[in-house]
Amino acid sequence: MRAIRIRHRKPLALATAAVLAGLTVPAATTTPAMATTALPATVTAATATATDYDPTYYADAIGKTGPALKDSLHTIISDQTKISYSAVWNALKVTDQDPNNSNNVILLYSGVSRSKSLNGGDVGDWNREHVWAKSHGDFGTSTGPGTDLHHLRPEDVRVNSIRDNKDFDNGGSSFTDSGGSLTDSDSFEPRDAVKGDVARMILYMAVRYEGTDGWPDLEPNDSVTNGSNPYHGRLSVLKQWHEQDPPSAFEENRNDVIYDSYQHNRNPFIDHPEWVESIW
């Protein structure tokens, strides 16, 4: 049984409802999305907040720490409905809908609001970005980690290509339509407003895929030269980003939509940010 969680997030909730109901609004051109960077906040056990999911969904994880917590969360979030890679297109049009324009999605790294209809592989289109690079473990786009919505986001085709399969780290240079993101020869730094989102997606993947269901055992490490190995870095930086950029209303809404309408599992680090420090 899934618990019902009530959040005061009316603009996002109404926008999502509009899509599900098939409502339309006037068409809009591609414009930069409005975003507010969260103030730095240290997320620790001392700032932990109980969620409405604790007595049900997270019941077996509450009170645990370290490896026991990770094992418990793996069991919980592995109870998941999988979708095909082709189905990801339409799912992203709902999970990443622009709360200010139901015709558009927000692109992860560039922060641009772009028409949902411009999904594809041409210049000016948006495509399906694997935040945990699919070559890190060589799982490709097969149903499983390659189609897991908790780490798939819309992104401009060219920006996606610039990110490529680089690990995450601080530093680098700006590029056209970067939105504040930076890159260098071996790493990628997302814009400030989604640094925490990226960290929590990487850590979700590390808990969800433990090598027990035919897929690689994905783990974070502190390297930026992981290549095709099933690792992603840089963990120390990802933890900093997680603390500096707490879950936003957009990220929380996305977690809810994936849980309610698609995979029926959650990213626990959005619900309980303090669990990152407890595990890593």
Side-chain angles (χ1 to χ4, degrees):
M1 178 181 295
R2 298 201 298 274
I4 297 175
R5 189 176 190 183
I6 299 174
R7 286 197 178 110
H8 300 291
R9 207 168 44 243
K10 292 182 180 178
L12 283 167
L14 290 173
T16 300
V19 170
L20 297 177
L23 301 179
T24 60
V25 297
T29 57
T30 300
T31 56
M34 298 298 291
T36 301
T37 303
L39 294 175
T42 301
V43 182
T44 67
T47 61
T49 302
T51 77
D52 293 334
Y53 294 108
D54 289 358
T56 51
Y57 188 74
Y58 291 122
D60 292 338
I62 300 303
K64 294 179 180 176
T65 59
L69 174 60
K70 188 184 182 190
D71 289 346
S72 181
L73 291 176
H74 169 71
T75 299
I76 291 168
I77 67 178
S78 294
D79 184 6
Q80 167 191 356
T81 299
K82 300 178 180 67
I83 69 173
S84 69
Y85 196 49
S86 61
V88 168
W89 285 121
N90 285 334
L92 292 180
K93 293 176 183 180
V94 180
T95 60
D96 290 76
Q97 178 177 284
D98 183 346
N100 297 314
N101 183 347
S102 63
N103 286 335
N104 288 12
V105 292
I106 301 293
L107 307 187
L108 178 64
Y109 303 132
S110 54
V112 165
S113 178
R114 183 165 296 172
S115 173
K116 292 176 179 179
S117 66
L118 292 176
N119 63 295
D122 296 328
V123 174
D125 288 344
W126 61 268
N127 59 7
R128 298 159 290 186
E129 156 67 344
H130 292 78
V131 176
W132 182 293
K134 59 183 181 290
S135 64
H136 290 223
D138 196 27
F139 52 74
T141 60
S142 299
T143 301
T147 66
D148 196 314
L149 291 171
H150 283 297
H151 86 114
L152 284 161
R153 301 289 290 267
E155 187 48 72
D156 174 77
V157 167
R158 196 176 57 81
V159 174
N160 195 344
S161 178
I162 290 171
R163 187 268 158 136
D164 195 25
N165 69 341
K166 295 172 184 175
D167 291 277
F168 294 105
D169 197 2
N170 289 316
S173 302
S174 184
F175 50 90
T176 303
D177 297 327
S178 70
S181 297
L182 306 173
T183 191
D184 58 24
S185 61
D186 60 9
S187 69
F188 191 89
E189 178 183 344
R191 60 192 175 101
D192 289 346
V194 296
K195 280 184 164 72
D197 305 50
V198 166
R200 287 180 283 275
M201 286 186 277
I202 292 294
L203 299 179
Y204 160 87
M205 293 291 282
V207 171
R208 170 60 185 87
Y209 299 99
E210 293 279 41
T212 58
D213 52 3
W215 300 109
D217 181 4
L218 306 181
E219 293 295 338
N221 66 8
D222 227 36
S223 173
V224 291
T225 57
N226 284 305
S228 62
N229 295 313
Y231 310 123
H232 227 302
R234 181 183 298 267
L235 177 59
S236 58
V237 172
L238 292 169
K239 288 176 64 177
Q240 292 172 5
W241 293 352
H242 167 67
E243 293 181 352
Q244 293 166 358
D245 175 34
S248 64
F250 185 92
E251 190 180 0
E252 290 172 341
N253 181 75
R254 191 175 194 279
N255 200 24
D256 288 344
V257 172
I258 293 172
Y259 177 67
D260 291 333
S261 302
Y262 296 100
Q263 295 183 181
H264 310 303
N265 71 340
R266 303 186 65 80
N267 183 331
F269 305 116
I270 296 173
D271 295 324
H272 278 279
E274 76 280 2
W275 281 346
V276 170
E277 188 62 33
S278 182
I279 295 174
W280 289 283

